[in-house]
Amino acid sequence: MNNSIEANKVKASMSRGSFATALGAFVATLGSAVGLGNIWKFPYLTGANGGAAFIIIYVISTLLVGLPVMMAEIMLGRKARANAIATMNKLSPSKRQPWWVIGAMGALAAFLIMAFYSEVAGWVVAYIFKSSFGSILSTNPEVTSQAFSTLVVDPIQSLFWQWLVLAVVCVILVRGVSKGIEATTKRLIPLLFVLLLIVDIRSLTLPGAGEGIKFLFSPDFSKITAAAVLTALGLAFFKLSIGMGTMITYGSYWPDGQNIPTSTARVMFSDLLVSILAGLAIFPAVFAFGYEPGAGPSLLFITIPSVFASMPFGNIFMVLFFLLAAVAATGAMISLVEVPVAFLNEQFKMSRSKATVLTTVAIAVFGSSAALSNSLLAGVQLFGMNLFDLYDFVSSNILLPLGGLLIVIFVGWFWGDDKVKAALSNNGSLKNQAIIAAYTVIVKFVTPLLVLVVMLRGLNLLPF
Ligand code: TRP
């Protein structure tokens, strides 16, 4: 009798897919965290916000907010073994509490993020090709700037590269959780580290690299404003793929015996390492050739090509650099798209292939508005932002922190301390009471308060 219950459970979990091994779960989760956030956002935000001081605030945000939210999401998903919306529904203590709203908000955020993310990934892929043919390399930033503008104002090219990227994501996801997500990230993550180390060595051995290292590691706190703190917090959410149900969905594929506190902490530290390595690939080279680090989102596409053009064999390193950015972006995008795919697949009993194709096509259609935000739709502005910037701002600085806030409030105040304890200790088999005790306090008080204050202050909603 017990055996047949077990057998049924195994069958059920096989039919909904899961990561085959603990290592696979770790690598897939890291693959979600690592992405354009490390290679594009982290460097340009660090550059625009003055360097080391911003990084310190970012690190504090990942420790006190990022890690607790990631643990919360993974444990909820693993407990419910369902997509993000169904997870919140299932675990809600009463059917009258609408916690599923977190999942629904998450699906909205997934669309907003994918819209601009797939466009940036498209530029990255375009740059792999363009730098292979040397057509965009010039030591003159005006020339590289011109090359970038030519790309982004061309509606056909913009759509072409974005849709190409989405097609790749679709092909991977159709293959399923273990054969698609897990197998792909297992190959990509080691490749990413190798490429990153090669570019790092090149950058760090340039004469004059020291300035860039100083920029990354010696803080100047006078540059930090309330808006910069909100940006650092938003980056922590974006970087760790939290606040919208990605980690709930991935947690639902984690093996039962996996140690949640240590595995999530490893993901967080590895992700931070990738960001620092990306910073070390970029800033020493930027300073060595006398460029400015504060270019904003175009740092990667205007400044970096000039930097590479200034060094011997620069075009080879530039191809490697954009290749590694594309590799990083892939693991992140499949995790974003998996949220609606898992939902359609389970909730509407739709086949995985159908759910994946439907989701990618919907993202391609909606995402076109971001791809065309520099050309046909350049006139569409809201709050002084074009659609591309608006999607980024609303998701990173509003939806993700809000989602994260609700998730920690749920785990800290509504789900029950005994359930948290059981989830984090694997029903008592791990002896980690001290960690659990600290977690309970942080998730109840520290994380929600920090998110709330930083959000309200950063959005100018507080009187001081
Ligand atoms: N973390 C990824 C990056 O840094 C982006 C990402 C993937 C993401 N999944 C997410 C961001 C879910 C927010 C929510 O590039």
Side-chain angles (χ1 to χ4, degrees), residues 32-33 35-38 113 117 238-239 241 244 246 332 335-336 400:
S32 165
L36 293 172
N38 310 64
I113 294 173
Y117 204 97
F238 187 88
K239 277 293 334 101
S241 313
M244 56 149 274
T246 291
S335 75
L336 276 156
L400 299 181

Side-chain angles (χ1 to χ4, degrees), residues 90-438:
K90 248 187 181 171
L91 302 183
S92 169
S94 138
K95 290 296 151 236
R96 271 174 306 163
Q97 295 175 12
W99 291 104
W100 57 267
V101 167
I102 298 175
M105 250 171 49
L108 173 68
F111 271 77
L112 291 178
I113 294 173
M114 271 310 286
F116 72 87
Y117 204 97
S118 58
E119 181 56 15
V120 181
W123 297 338
V124 165
V125 175
Y127 267 52
I128 299 176
F129 287 98
K130 289 175 196 256
S131 45
S132 318
F133 302 114
S135 64
I136 45 174
L137 237 61
S138 163
T139 50
N140 180 355
E142 266 166 36
V143 176
T144 56
S145 164
Q146 191 57 46
F148 183 56
S149 310
T150 314
L151 172 63
V152 300
V153 302
D154 181 347
I156 305 289
Q157 274 205 65
S158 300
L159 288 179
F160 171 78
W161 294 112
Q162 181 186 41
W163 291 4
L164 180 71
V165 161
L166 288 171
V168 172
V169 169
C170 181
V171 168
I172 298 172
L173 277 182
V174 163
R175 303 177 58 97
V177 176
S178 185
K179 291 212 180 81
I181 301 174
E182 187 175 0
T184 307
T185 44
K186 258 190 168 161
R187 293 204 187 98
L188 292 185
I189 289 283
L191 177 64
L192 175 77
F193 274 95
V194 172
L195 290 173
L196 204 47
L197 286 177
I198 297 174
V199 184
D200 270 337
I201 292 170
R202 170 66 285 192
S203 174
L204 287 169
T205 50
L206 290 167
E211 268 309 294
I213 300 175
K214 215 164 100 201
F215 180 76
L216 276 174
F217 296 113
S218 78
D220 169 7
F221 284 98
S222 67
K223 298 236 171 71
I224 297 301
T225 59
V229 176
L230 177 63
T231 305
L233 182 78
L235 178 65
F237 274 94
F238 187 88
K239 277 293 334 101
L240 295 176
S241 313
I242 51 178
M244 56 149 274
T246 291
M247 287 299 167
I248 297 180
T249 309
Y250 269 30
S252 77
Y253 306 138
W254 274 38
D256 275 321
Q258 191 145 357
N259 184 331
I260 293 180
T262 43
S263 291
T264 48
R266 277 190 197 137
V267 170
M268 190 220 107
F269 281 112
S270 314
D271 177 70
L272 185 61
L273 178 68
V274 174
S275 294
I276 301 290
L277 289 177
L280 286 174
I282 291 174
F283 292 111
V286 166
F287 280 91
F289 295 106
Y291 294 102
E292 283 298 317
S298 62
L299 178 74
L300 205 58
F301 301 98
I302 295 176
T303 313
I304 289 297
S306 305
V307 169
F308 280 111
S310 312
M311 61 175 79
F313 302 109
N315 57 342
I316 297 176
F317 287 103
M318 180 145 149
V319 173
L320 293 181
F321 181 82
F322 281 104
L323 191 62
L324 87 86
V327 164
T330 307
M333 284 187 293
I334 56 185
S335 75
L336 276 156
V337 182
E338 176 65 12
V339 176
V341 167
F343 172 71
L344 292 177
N345 181 210
E346 286 169 18
Q347 235 50 29
F348 297 105
K349 307 273 171 287
M350 204 182 268
S351 75
R352 201 179 159 84
S353 336
K354 202 167 160 197
T356 310
V357 173
L358 198 71
T359 308
T360 3
V361 169
I363 291 173
V365 171
F366 175 68
S368 306
S369 63
L372 301 177
S373 66
N374 290 304
S375 48
L376 304 179
L377 299 177
V380 184
Q381 301 261 336
L382 271 169
F383 310 108
M385 291 178 261
N386 68 13
L387 291 175
F388 180 101
D389 296 326
L390 185 75
Y391 297 163
D392 187 0
F393 182 85
V394 170
S395 52
S396 282
N397 294 3
I398 299 175
L399 289 175
L400 299 181
L402 194 59
L405 179 63
L406 293 173
I407 287 165
V408 285
I409 289 178
F410 176 75
V411 166
W413 298 95
F414 288 87
W415 198 35
D417 288 358
D418 49 329
K419 299 211 177 74
V420 173
K421 205 180 219 167
L424 292 182
S425 67
N426 294 341
N427 298 317
S429 63
L430 301 172
K431 297 291 161 246
N432 54 358
Q433 288 97 335
I435 293 177
I436 295 174

